[in-house]
Amino acid sequence: MDLKSGYPFWAVSNGLMQAFPRLDADLRCDVAVLGGGITGALIADELARHGFDVTVLEQRDIGWGSTAASTALLQYEIDTHLVDLAKRHGEADAALAYRACADAIDGLQDVASAWRDVGFARNRSLYYASRRRDVRALEQEHAARQRHGLDVELLSRARVREDYGFDAPAALLSTQAARVDPYRLTHRLLQRLQKQGAAVFDRTCIADIETTSRGVTLRTDTGFNVRAAHLVVAAGYASQHWLKQRVARNRSSYAVISDPLPQDQLGFLADTLLWETARPYLYARSTSDSRLLLGGEDDAMDIPAKRDARVGKKARTLLKRLHDLFPGLAVTPAFSWAGTFAETEDGLPFFGPHRQWGPRVHFAMAYGGNGITYSMLGAGLLRALIERRRHPLWPLFSFRRMER
């Protein structure tokens, strides 16, 4: 799949950090991870740290698919409100998902703390009502999150104007959020794994997968075989290629990033993620070098050439919407891009085996607006499944929920 267009900032700013080798011989391992983006890197790291012999296989260069296009807002807040998720799956499961995502932010901080250059920083999250009629939903969401021990504050219009300098009928302020450079973190994780003896291959395309009761065999398009006890398919939105059942829909999202700004111009955006109740939503966050990153304007376009043609217009729209909120903020755009993403009907990911493939093939579909948070959760969930342990999130994040 052609997953991105334009000039994704992470790829431009970091360049090709390291070329990993192509697979040029048969090999065996405990777990093969198909996909060398941030999801595959987090899962491979989790498994390797707990004693598994892991092989990572990526058909492009490492981190060059959706990871390079990600805007990497790290939030516990799921695109589906807790109150709406509770209507679908019950309040206990909805709260479990939200609390697990909150814990995942701490987990990502622990992972990223090994390096100083991956752009990780703790942030707050300001979720504002786009329209007056959205206030009631925010009030209900505030009550539900507080009921389940989540740290959140409901702000009035006056408080939003006084503390943040723009006009919105209400907002939810959360402290459990962060940001990261996903491309650099992916490379750092896989470089460390390689140094520790794990096999990491890029430019290696898997043409066929065969399963037996004892393991999985992956065949490359150049004729080499990888035999593993388990396979994790973490190929992002291309993972759907390996399933006959449609489990998500592809969408395109657009982003633009500014030249570096003085700290006094960034204001609260220096340490706060901003997003809104409208769908699709506008969102903004800063980077470690004081740039402002805007995203949104999602649409259902899944044709790369047509998606590419929309990048310029979408970037202008994002900048205009920012100007409408903050007329005094002067932003000079540096790069703009688009990426193809996927979303599930309820906003939750899928992790684990699918009946089409049997118990030794696990999918890691961290779909939705907080995919990196989901990937952190999924790493632990998949390790539990491979170790034949129960995990509290598996029933909710498994393909079984499509059968309810």
Side-chain angles (χ1 to χ4, degrees), residues 109-268:
Q109 181 174 5
D110 290 342
V111 168
S113 65
W115 304 278
R116 294 183 178 180
D117 65 349
V118 296
F120 185 92
R122 296 300 295 239
N123 279 193
R124 294 175 294 177
S125 171
L126 187 66
Y127 181 47
Y128 69 91
S130 308
R131 299 153 298 204
R132 184 179 300 175
R133 65 175 180 265
D134 295 338
V135 172
R136 179 58 181 158
L138 280 191
E139 292 172 342
Q140 293 173 339
E141 185 69 6
H142 173 251
R145 292 190 198 177
Q146 282 204 323
R147 190 161 60 247
H148 293 285
L150 293 164
D151 183 17
V152 64
E153 183 180 0
L154 180 64
L155 307 185
S156 65
R157 181 189 291 271
R159 177 80 180 278
V160 173
R161 186 182 297 115
E162 179 181 353
D163 291 358
Y164 296 99
F166 70 99
D167 187 58
L172 293 180
L173 178 64
S174 302
T175 58
Q176 190 75 342
R179 68 185 189 220
V180 75
D181 177 337
Y183 180 83
R184 183 166 283 267
L185 179 58
T186 297
H187 269 268
R188 291 293 183 238
L189 284 165
L190 294 180
Q191 287 167 352
R192 183 173 68 182
L193 283 177
Q194 187 185 55
K195 288 178 181 178
Q196 294 170 346
V200 181
F201 301 100
D202 63 15
R203 295 158 295 148
T204 299
C205 184
I206 300 303
D208 186 49
I209 298 171
E210 289 186 2
T211 63
T212 69
S213 61
R214 302 183 66 179
V216 184
T217 299
L218 295 84
R219 292 192 177 89
T220 72
D221 59 357
T222 52
F224 298 109
N225 294 325
V226 177
R227 292 180 172 86
H230 297 271
L231 166 65
V232 174
V233 181
Y237 309 97
S239 296
Q240 295 178 86
H241 165 76
W242 298 101
L243 287 177
K244 296 175 183 177
Q245 182 184 21
R246 184 181 178 89
V247 299
R249 58 179 181 174
N250 284 357
R251 296 179 62 81
S252 291
S253 188
Y254 303 83
V256 60
I257 195 166
S258 74
D259 284 338
L261 292 165
Q263 284 289 322
D264 61 342
Q265 286 192 35
L266 276 176
F268 77 90

Side-chain angles (χ1 to χ4, degrees), residues 1 3 66-67 235-241 249-250 340-343 365-368 371:
M1 294 177 67
L3 294 172
S66 297
T67 295
Y237 309 97
S239 296
Q240 295 178 86
H241 165 76
R249 58 179 181 174
N250 284 357
T340 294
F341 301 92
E343 64 180 12
M365 293 179 159
Y367 295 165

Side-chain angles (χ1 to χ4, degrees), residues 44-102:
D45 177 69
E46 172 75 10
L47 293 170
R49 284 190 295 107
H50 290 86
F52 289 93
D53 177 19
V54 177
T55 295
V56 178
L57 303 152
E58 167 58 48
Q59 67 177 345
R60 302 177 182 83
D61 291 298
I62 292 297
W64 209 252
S66 297
T67 295
S70 171
T71 49
L73 282 75
L74 308 181
Q75 298 170 293
Y76 80 84
E77 296 156 297
I78 297 169
D79 283 353
T80 304
H81 285 178
L82 192 156
V83 293
D84 296 324
L85 203 59
K87 293 173 184 176
R88 285 177 172 267
H89 301 297
E91 186 155 336
D93 276 349
L96 175 65
Y98 264 76
R99 288 196 302 268
C101 286

Side-chain angles (χ1 to χ4, degrees), residues 315-333:
R316 291 190 292 272
T317 300
L318 290 169
L319 290 166
K320 181 182 183 304
R321 294 191 64 195
L322 179 73
H323 183 265
D324 291 343
L325 278 178
F326 306 104
L329 183 59
V331 172
T332 302

Side-chain angles (χ1 to χ4, degrees), residues 355-373:
R355 63 174 180 264
Q356 176 184 332
W357 287 98
R360 291 188 176 271
V361 177
H362 303 269
F363 285 84
M365 293 179 159
Y367 295 165
N370 49 351
I372 297 176
T373 306

